[in-house]
Amino acid sequence: QVQLVESGGGLVQAGGSLRLSCVTSGRTFSVNHMGWFRQAPGKEREFVAAIPWSGSETYYADSVKGRFTISRDNAKNTVYLQMNSLKVEDTAVYFCARHRFAPSTFWYEYDYWGQGTQVTVSS
């Protein structure tokens, strides 16, 4: 069993920054591949970023590439999403999730999810 808890969301003006955190407990964090997804009202859940257990590579949606950075600290069982140059269209609930086998852009391949944290970007 794996538990994930996100934090760090909030209200920010366009152009601002936020850093999301996702703390994992239960199963050894270092063997978990992690992803961030988001879901805006009335829209489907979409991929944001992913990172393998080693942290050796990172993957991003085109919409956030160059603005967001995913990272992890295995000693703290935590994965981060640094979000810079935020846009109004980044407004959504952000979720972290665990993939058992490899980082993926497909949300349905992840088996454990956090409860989500709201990010609201105002104009």
Side-chain angles (χ1 to χ4, degrees), residues 24-68:
T24 300
S25 62
R27 191 175 294 268
T28 305
F29 178 72
S30 62
V31 300
N32 294 331
H33 311 287
M34 303 298 295
W36 284 97
F37 292 79
R38 66 187 182 187
Q39 188 165 18
K43 295 188 176 181
E44 294 186 353
R45 189 166 298 190
E46 65 172 355
F47 169 75
V48 175
I51 187 168
W53 67 269
S54 65
S56 58
E57 298 174 326
T58 54
Y59 307 90
Y60 299 96
D62 288 343
S63 59
V64 306
K65 201 171 293 183
R67 300 187 297 122
F68 289 13

Side-chain angles (χ1 to χ4, degrees), residues 66-78:
R67 300 187 297 122
F68 289 13
T69 302
I70 188 172
S71 62
R72 63 189 298 158
D73 184 338
N74 288 348
K76 296 182 178 180
N77 293 345
T78 303

Side-chain angles (χ1 to χ4, degrees), residues 9-10 18 20 37-41 43-46 48 68 83 86-95 116-121:
L18 283 173
L20 306 184
F37 292 79
R38 66 187 182 187
Q39 188 165 18
K43 295 188 176 181
E44 294 186 353
R45 189 166 298 190
E46 65 172 355
V48 175
F68 289 13
M83 305 186 295
L86 282 161
K87 304 177 180 179
V88 172
E89 50 264 42
D90 294 320
T91 296
V93 177
Y94 283 70
F95 300 89
T117 185
Q118 176 71 46
V119 171
T120 303
V121 184

